[in-house]
Amino acid sequence: MSRILIGLCLASLFWASCKTTRIAETTPFRSPEPDELWLALDTTRFDYRTFSAKADVEMEDESGKSSAIAFLRMQRDSVIWISLRKAG
């Protein structure tokens, strides 16, 4: 009796999971106006006075493979520093 009850419960779960439902109505694509694009670009513009970054670099040439750590520092409209350190 319990096996039949468990079987019916499992069958009802599988049957209920196969239903399709509509989630949202689709809207047609609207091409944005040029002014909207410029406004979106202007609000996401990367404005900085100084910038620093660190990167792991792997290089490969005829002599083999080598790794380094690169440090990049920039000061707007002035200086760019790049330094490399061999990775240990």
Side-chain angles (χ1 to χ4, degrees), residues 35-83:
D35 291 338
E36 292 176 275
L37 291 174
W38 281 115
L39 181 62
L41 285 172
D42 193 40
T43 57
T44 59
R45 184 177 53 160
F46 185 64
D47 193 20
Y48 68 94
R49 275 191 266 166
T50 60
F51 176 79
S52 297
K54 177 182 173 184
D56 293 327
V57 180
E58 288 188 12
M59 299 168 281
E60 186 174 351
D61 58 5
E62 302 86 31
S63 63
K65 212 176 192 184
S66 59
S67 299
I69 299 172
F71 296 94
L72 171 69
R73 294 180 195 96
M74 294 171 47
Q75 189 172 5
R76 187 177 188 154
D77 297 331
S78 182
V79 180
I80 298 174
W81 296 278
I82 300 175
S83 59

